Amino acid sequence: GQNIDQPTEMTATEGAIVQINCTYQTSGFNGLFWYQQHAGEAPTFLSYNVLDGLEEKGRFSSFLSRSKGYSYLLLKELQMKDSASYLCAVREDNAGNMLTFGGGTRLMVKP
Amino acid sequence: ETGVTQTPRHLVMGMTNKKSLKCEQHLGHNAMYWYKQSAKKPLELMFVYNFKEQTENNSVPSRFSPECPNSSHLFLHLHTLQPEDSALYLCASSPNHRGTYEQYFGPGTRLTVT
């Protein structure tokens, strides 16, 4: 089984930088995904990490440390539209493309 | 239409009713998934289909019955549900159920069981 933890809520200011952490415990690991979900909408893919290190994609970056069972999503130059839930999901070894999701972090961006 | 669509978007049903949720993907994918998203709980995988064959049933009660007639369509048949089944039901698809593929989600059906 898996245990995935992320903070329930975070608040940040427009224009700032925010880091959303995710820790996981799993018997096998084969990749970590971050999804964004606006209220009442479908989750949309943000990033994928399977090797240690930082993946950068525009204002969003995702970091992975497999030895620590730890990932973070970094959002720069925050905009009001970044207010959403951010979901961390882990894929286990030999689990195909099945994902186990964390509870999500609800980010509120204030002016 | 593009992407993944789901109908209806909202559904209210009594515990003795029978209803069905529909999902359609226009992405040419071969794998489709049903998830349940309850308030204050993580997204829970329910079923996985690959090339119309069910590859995973995540210990889902039999009052939920999936059907996948082809790789583009996925149904979730509901009968004698309980109030605790009220949730957002999300459908997703990916090119295959193996390999490293992001999943594309539909907008979900908000289900209320009275």
Side-chain angles (χ1 to χ4, degrees):
Chain A
Q2 301 191 50
N3 189 32
I4 301 172
D5 290 313
Q6 47 182 136
T8 306
E9 287 188 352
M10 298 182 71
T11 302
T13 305
E14 191 176 16
I17 299 173
V18 71
Q19 178 175 312
I20 302 175
N21 296 324
C22 172
T23 58
Y24 62 89
Q25 295 169 316
T26 179
S27 55
F29 175 82
N30 197 13
L32 186 144
F33 293 78
W34 283 97
Y35 281 83
Q36 179 192 60
Q37 186 178 23
H38 285 99
E41 297 184 14
T44 55
F45 170 77
L46 288 178
S47 68
Y48 171 73
N49 295 71
V50 67
L51 300 176
D52 289 352
L54 189 68
E55 295 281 341
E56 297 187 78
K57 192 185 293 185
R59 294 189 298 115
F60 292 9
S61 303
S62 57
F63 171 83
L64 175 68
S65 169
R66 289 173 299 172
S67 62
K68 296 181 179 178
Y70 167 68
S71 173
Y72 67 73
L73 181 68
L74 193 71
L75 291 76
K76 303 176 186 175
E77 301 169 17
L78 279 174
Q79 302 174 10
M80 299 299 291
K81 66 178 183 179
D82 297 329
S83 293
S85 288
Y86 291 85
L87 312 178
C88 173
V90 173
R91 191 164 72 106
E92 261 190 66
D93 275 342
N94 302 316
N97 204 30
M98 293 186 297
L99 302 178
T100 302
F101 282 82
T105 298
R106 186 180 167 206
L107 174 67
M108 289 172 281
V109 180
K110 297 186 174 181
Chain B
E1 295 215 52
T2 59
V4 182
T5 58
Q6 291 185 243
T7 55
R9 293 295 308 274
H10 300 272
L11 177 63
V12 179
M13 60 185 289
M15 290 189 283
T16 58
N17 291 158
K18 289 184 179 182
K19 296 286 184 183
S20 295
L21 310 185
K22 179 183 176 182
C23 175
E24 184 173 1
Q25 58 93 3
H26 308 268
L27 301 168
H29 290 167
N30 295 309
M32 296 187 78
Y33 311 77
W34 278 118
Y35 287 89
K36 176 184 179 182
Q37 189 173 37
S38 304
K40 302 188 187 299
K41 290 179 69 175
L43 259 174
E44 300 172 69
L45 179 67
M46 300 175 72
F47 301 104
V48 181
Y49 277 83
N50 194 55
F51 288 99
K52 304 187 298 178
E53 299 298 319
Q54 188 179 119
T55 59
E56 184 73 19
N57 176 336
N58 202 20
S59 303
V60 180
S62 60
R63 58 185 184 271
F64 295 91
S65 174
E67 178 190 0
C68 189
N70 55 62
S71 293
S72 299
H73 294 85
L74 186 64
F75 295 89
L76 188 63
H77 303 300
L78 316 170
H79 64 99
T80 59
L81 294 191
Q82 304 298 312
E84 59 264 30
D85 296 323
S86 298
L88 181 68
Y89 288 85
L90 289 162
C91 173
S93 71
S94 67
N96 203 304
H97 83 305
R98 296 280 176 188
T100 306
Y101 299 112
E102 66 195 77
Q103 294 179 19
Y104 294 78
F105 285 83
T109 296
R110 174 70 62 186
L111 173 68
T112 303
V113 181
T114 60

